Amino acid sequence: MDLPDQPPGGLGVEERQLEDAWRAHAPAVLRFATAIVGPHDAYDIVASAFMRTTRTDSWTEIEHLDRYLMRAVRNEALNLWRQRRRQWQRDLIAVRPEAAAEVGADIDLLHAVAALTAKQRCVVFLAYWEDQSEAEIAATLELSRSQVHRILVSSRAQLRKVLK
């Protein structure tokens, strides 16, 4: 059975555009997602954000697709974080304090990073792993430069507490 929108023996224009966009932007967006949600959920977050972004016909008109995808990944990460937070709260009710094991210093650091909000993790990742300036981070996440600065200051202060 022939597909009406696809020429025989090759990809259609739309499929080629999707593939080109994926190849161009997926590696950077995947690194971003990995920093925010970790390696286990990163690909799912990126794929979901990419599918939501390219679902409409006007996606090819997005001026800065890379920035748009970063914001879409941030939103997907926030949704995942809210979902997991609710699950954690339900799980904590079921756990008794006697069952908790002693936590080591490395675990404390990991917990401190995990305790940052998704917005803080986004900003910290772009600042330290992508080496972006505050202005570039602000443009990528559609925040003001002063918001980015405040987020970096509060994130550093929160992490310093753990490192002492």
Side-chain angles (χ1 to χ4, degrees):
M1 177 177 201
D2 290 328
L3 298 174
D5 296 329
Q6 188 175 25
L11 293 176
V13 173
E14 292 175 13
E15 290 85 3
R16 208 171 303 116
Q17 287 176 324
L18 282 169
E19 186 174 323
D20 290 346
W22 179 260
R23 287 177 195 245
H25 302 294
V29 176
L30 189 57
R31 283 191 307 273
F32 180 60
T34 301
I36 298 169
V37 298
H40 299 294
D41 295 313
Y43 187 85
D44 291 337
I45 293 290
V46 170
S48 180
F50 189 82
M51 287 189 303
R52 284 182 193 236
T53 299
T54 59
R55 183 175 22 200
T56 65
D57 292 334
S58 61
W59 77 269
T60 56
E61 299 169 15
I62 298 172
E63 187 174 342
H64 296 285
L65 185 59
D66 57 337
R67 292 177 181 177
Y68 193 94
L69 287 169
M70 292 282 194
R71 289 188 296 273
V73 164
R74 175 197 60 196
N75 294 340
E76 290 292 325
L78 288 171
N79 290 340
L80 179 67
W81 183 80
R82 282 190 286 268
Q83 175 189 7
R84 293 229 172 114
R85 181 101 172 138
R86 288 189 298 269
Q87 181 65 43
W88 290 335
Q89 289 171 343
R90 288 190 298 267
D91 290 349
L92 285 175
I93 291 171
V95 177
R96 291 187 279 157
E98 302 87 46
E102 197 167 312
V103 180
D106 290 342
I107 299 298
D108 289 340
L109 179 60
L110 293 174
H111 283 285
V113 172
L116 294 174
T117 66
K119 187 183 283 188
Q120 286 175 315
R121 287 192 306 268
C122 289
V123 171
V124 166
F125 174 83
L126 292 174
Y128 293 103
W129 280 271
E130 293 294 318
D131 200 28
Q132 290 188 7
S133 67
E134 289 182 0
E136 290 170 324
I137 296 168
T140 299
L141 299 179
E142 288 188 331
L143 300 171
S144 70
R145 191 175 175 282
S146 61
Q147 281 178 301
V148 170
H149 181 76
R150 283 192 305 272
I151 292 168
L152 277 172
V153 168
S154 67
S155 299
R156 288 177 188 137
Q158 193 171 342
L159 292 172
R160 260 189 222 108
K161 290 178 185 177
V162 174
L163 297 175
K164 284 186 178 185

